[in-house]
Amino acid sequence: MSDTAAPLKETVGRYGVWSVGLRSEDPARRGAIAEAAAELEELGYGTAWLGGSSAPANARPLLDATSALTVGTSIQSIWQHDAPASAAGFAELEAAHPGRFVLGIGVSHAKLAEQYRRPYSALVAYLDELDAAEVPAERRVLAALGPRTLELSRDRAAGAIPYLVTAEHTAKAREILGEGPLLAPELKVVLDEDPERARATARDYLAMYLQLPNYTNNFLRLGFTEDDVRDGGSDRLIDAVYAWGDDSRIRARVEEFQAAGADHLALQIVTGTTDPDDLPRQEWRRLAALLG
């Protein structure tokens, strides 16, 4: 890939926030989302990643409320949102807020999409449609886990936004991508110094992801065992995919991902709440402070 990825690296910044709550489609929550986005920008985060199967329209309240914050989908399912609609949404945001929206797309999971068939081929075809609609490769990123999709991220996009990965996976992804493309893994954070309580919070949240073979197969490729991916995950797995503990421990985990090759980290606060619309603003403030 050419140097077209470099501007995106500069735009997204070193750290971003990943949140399902930021993508709510409830009009009544638009004000709260706008306020949260404005504060994230003030706190120094470079990007807000809209969790779940988000779409360009979900980014509009955040972009309207800020002046420099980058907003990305993480991720938009290719099965739920067709390419022409995605291209139209991208064009609308690009006209209103040039250079500030990133289209993050992925193949989701067989359990979540009835039409799930030949996901790699479907993703290639989707990228072909985006090309035809003139959505620039340097403004789209892929939710890549395996080697082939990482190669596609290198060759047909600005880079990769792997979700639920380890520092070891980050190092392997960096080798495949090379130095140019953006590598922006997601990392979950539990701001709790008590090991038993922090791991319990982490395990409760991780359990739903361990029902999805795309993630468990990736862990098995990385050397984890079937026992590691049972019952919400072993301590070994929890400690590999979460940053938890006091400030110094969390900083060390963040630095481990950076040393492995991450250009940017999409940090997801996990608090134990079951409310998908939760906006953990107090935790975002603390995280910003400990990251400096």
Side-chain angles (χ1 to χ4, degrees), residues 195-248:
E196 184 174 349
R197 190 170 57 223
R199 287 189 178 118
T201 297
R203 187 168 285 115
D204 285 347
Y205 190 68
L206 186 62
M208 62 179 175
Y209 292 107
L210 296 184
Q211 300 174 44
L212 302 173
N214 288 5
Y215 292 129
T216 55
N217 289 340
N218 191 52
F219 289 139
L220 296 176
R221 284 196 298 267
L222 291 168
F224 290 95
T225 68
E226 294 287 353
D227 288 338
D228 285 316
V229 298
R230 290 195 184 101
D231 304 321
S234 66
D235 284 355
R236 176 189 174 210
L237 182 61
I238 294 293
D239 293 351
V241 298
Y242 275 86
W244 63 266
D246 61 19
D247 291 3
S248 62

Side-chain angles (χ1 to χ4, degrees), residues 16-24 29 33 36 40 47-52 54 62 72 74 163 186 205 266-269 275-280 284:
V17 160
W18 192 104
S19 170
V20 173
L22 287 171
R23 77 159 185 86
S24 175
R29 298 194 64 250
I33 289 173
L40 289 175
T47 302
W49 296 100
L50 308 182
S54 46
L62 291 84
S74 183
Y163 186 89
E186 176 267 352
Y205 190 68
L267 299 163
Q268 179 182 181
I269 292 289
D275 182 2
D277 290 334
D278 183 44
L279 296 171
W284 288 339

